[in-house]
Amino acid sequence: MNFLKPLLTVFILLIAYSSHSQSFKNASEYLDFIATEQESVTKNMWKYTKAIAHSKNDRTINAKRNVLLKTVEKAIAKIENADGYDGENYKNQVLTYMRLNESLLNQDYAKIIDMKEVAEQSYDAMEAYVLARELADQKMEDAYNEYDTNFRLFAAKHNISIVESETDLGNKMKISNQVFNHYNELYLIYFKVSINEMYLIDALSKNDVGAIQQNANALSQTAKEGLEILKTVELYKNDKSIAEVTKDAFEFFIDEADNQVPQLTEFLILNEDFETIRNTLEKTPERKRTKEQIDTYNKKVKDINKAVDNYNKVNTKLNKDRQNIINKLNTTNENFLAKHIPND
């Protein structure tokens, strides 16, 4: 998330309560009241951000979103029930900001959770999911900027001195934005290539030679293009970890597509020929079978047995190497986020 700037605190920290609605003796009291509600929202926003960065559990992330939403709703209720100061104009400006946050959490971020469920199905869906998150974050950032401007104008109007500081929380929120931008950029580069391997694996499972060759060519081409794109990526704090493991993944894809898959398709083609020869032989009565037919069949049996061994060997190695690179990618991504986004 990337929409929190330095928190503003006022010098006077006095809050007055009445039996009916909260009222304020001066503008400083009112600004402090507003800043306190905003700080509560900010803290829960950071918890939500940490969940996105450090949790693999979608239910945990959604639970944090719901807690944040309830915090915003409580802040709205408190501000609505409290008296404004110097009219209702500034109060309404703050409520507009809070209600926009409420709407974004209820609609935009809820929709993003739904989009995540289908994001893995295509590059377009994944790109739409990432862009939707960035757009929602931008809306919140814009809303906060307007809130911050109105806060300052109200303070200036009433000659209030404010203490502005780069708080630890504010710094962490800024850092998380930069980290996620780098993470998302590299992930989209990787996903655009890896989606072709997903299609390739599907074709292999169906023994569809034509689709296998088509998707292998696409995988090789996009992986080679991906290697060139990686050379232009601007690193975050010179951390090469995700870029390097993505490079390793692309090199695996290229070897898979150019060297390993052709051996698998060679077996599938050979197996098709063998099945044709066997079916023909089985349909031919024994007394009508020629020596040439039998010799051809026996030779194919030897060829197919040898090819099966190689197919299993190549397939086993591919599965093992693929799992290793996936594990390495996941571990590197987790370590990158853990290293650069605090978990405290």
Side-chain angles (χ1 to χ4, degrees):
M1 319 306 290
N2 59 336
F3 46 84
L4 294 178
K5 287 191 171 181
L7 295 178
L8 302 176
T9 58
V10 295
F11 283 130
I12 301 176
L13 304 175
L14 300 174
I15 300 178
Y17 291 88
S18 70
S19 58
H20 301 291
S21 63
Q22 190 172 355
S23 59
F24 308 90
K25 296 178 181 179
N26 52 55
S28 292
E29 282 189 358
Y30 191 64
L31 273 189
D32 185 65
F33 164 70
I34 295 298
T36 298
E37 294 306 312
Q38 171 61 18
E39 183 175 5
S40 179
V41 171
T42 299
K43 287 180 178 178
N44 280 292
M45 177 57 69
W46 177 240
K47 292 178 182 178
Y48 179 45
T49 300
K50 287 194 299 180
I52 294 173
H54 299 291
S55 176
K56 296 181 181 179
N57 192 320
D58 290 343
R59 293 178 64 182
T60 298
I61 294 172
N62 197 37
K64 297 295 183 184
R65 182 184 68 88
N66 288 329
V67 170
L68 173 59
L69 178 59
K70 291 185 183 301
T71 303
V72 174
E73 290 171 345
K74 288 179 181 178
I76 290 173
K78 288 185 69 173
I79 294 170
E80 282 180 330
N81 292 331
D83 293 336
Y85 187 85
D86 191 19
E88 298 289 299
N89 184 53
Y90 179 59
K91 172 182 175 178
N92 289 335
Q93 290 173 342
V94 174
L95 285 173
T96 296
Y97 160 68
M98 290 287 184
R99 286 170 182 149
L100 178 57
N101 282 344
E102 180 184 31
S103 175
L104 285 169
L105 290 166
N106 262 327
Q107 298 179 33
D108 294 54
Y109 286 102
K111 180 182 177 181
I112 287 167
I113 292 173
D114 293 335
M115 291 175 70
K116 187 176 181 181
E117 295 180 4
V118 298
E120 298 287 340
Q121 296 179 9
S122 71
Y123 175 77
D124 288 344
M126 179 59 71
E127 185 178 41
Y129 163 71
V130 171
L131 291 177
R133 280 216 21 210
E134 291 178 350
L135 179 60
D137 290 352
Q138 186 62 51
K139 287 180 181 178
M140 273 202 172
E141 179 180 4
D142 292 342
Y144 182 83
N145 287 338
E146 185 173 355
Y147 160 84
D148 181 61
T149 298
N150 291 330
F151 187 100
R152 293 171 183 273
L153 289 174
F154 185 85
K157 178 181 178 181
H158 295 280
N159 298 314
I160 298 173
S161 297
I162 59 176
V163 177
E164 183 175 5
S165 63
E166 291 283 331
T167 65
D168 182 48
L169 184 60
N171 280 330
K172 287 190 289 188
M173 295 301 294
K174 288 182 178 180
I175 290 170
S176 72
N177 174 49
Q178 296 168 356
V179 172
F180 277 122
N181 283 344
H182 181 66
Y183 175 87
N184 289 337
E185 179 185 8
L186 282 169
Y187 184 74
L188 279 178
I189 294 170
Y190 166 77
F191 189 80
K192 188 173 185 178
V193 177
S194 68
I195 193 72
N196 290 289
E197 198 208 23
M198 185 179 78
Y199 298 147
L200 173 60
I201 292 173
D202 182 63
L204 284 166
S205 70
K206 297 174 181 177
N207 295 332
D208 187 336
V209 173
I212 291 170
Q213 292 173 332
Q214 178 181 352
N215 288 300
N217 290 336
L219 177 60
S220 177
Q221 180 180 343
T222 56
K224 290 170 183 175
E225 292 171 354
L227 287 176
E228 293 303 312
I229 293 172
L230 285 177
K231 296 176 182 178
T232 68
V233 171
E234 184 176 349
L235 301 176
Y236 177 75
K237 289 191 173 181
N238 204 35
D239 189 329
K240 302 177 182 179
S241 58
I242 298 183
E244 287 182 344
V245 75
T246 303
K247 178 176 178 288
D248 291 343
F250 290 171
E251 289 173 347
F252 163 75
F253 291 147
I254 292 169
D255 179 64
E256 176 184 30
D258 292 351
N259 302 318
Q260 309 305 319
V261 168
Q263 297 182 63
L264 301 181
T265 54
E266 181 180 343
F267 165 77
L268 294 176
I269 293 171
L270 180 63
N271 192 54
E272 285 181 5
D273 292 342
F274 172 74
E275 289 298 324
T276 299
I277 292 171
R278 188 183 68 174
N279 290 334
T280 301
L281 187 65
E282 289 177 349
K283 290 176 182 179
T284 303
E286 287 189 25
R287 67 179 182 277
K288 293 185 178 181
R289 294 175 184 173
T290 66
K291 183 178 183 302
E292 183 181 0
Q293 280 182 303
I294 295 172
D295 289 345
T296 300
Y297 173 77
N298 288 335
K299 183 178 183 302
K300 284 293 182 182
V301 169
K302 293 180 180 179
D303 292 342
I304 204 71
N305 286 337
K306 181 179 179 181
V308 165
D309 290 340
N310 187 61
Y311 178 91
N312 289 336
K313 180 181 178 181
V314 171
N315 199 43
T316 299
K317 184 178 186 301
L318 273 177
N319 289 336
K320 181 181 178 181
D321 291 347
R322 182 184 301 110
Q323 191 58 56
N324 286 340
I325 198 66
I326 289 173
N327 291 342
K328 190 176 178 181
L329 274 163
N330 290 337
T331 299
T332 301
N333 287 335
E334 290 169 11
N335 289 342
F336 177 83
L337 293 177
K339 176 181 178 180
H340 297 293
I341 296 183
N343 193 23
D344 54 4

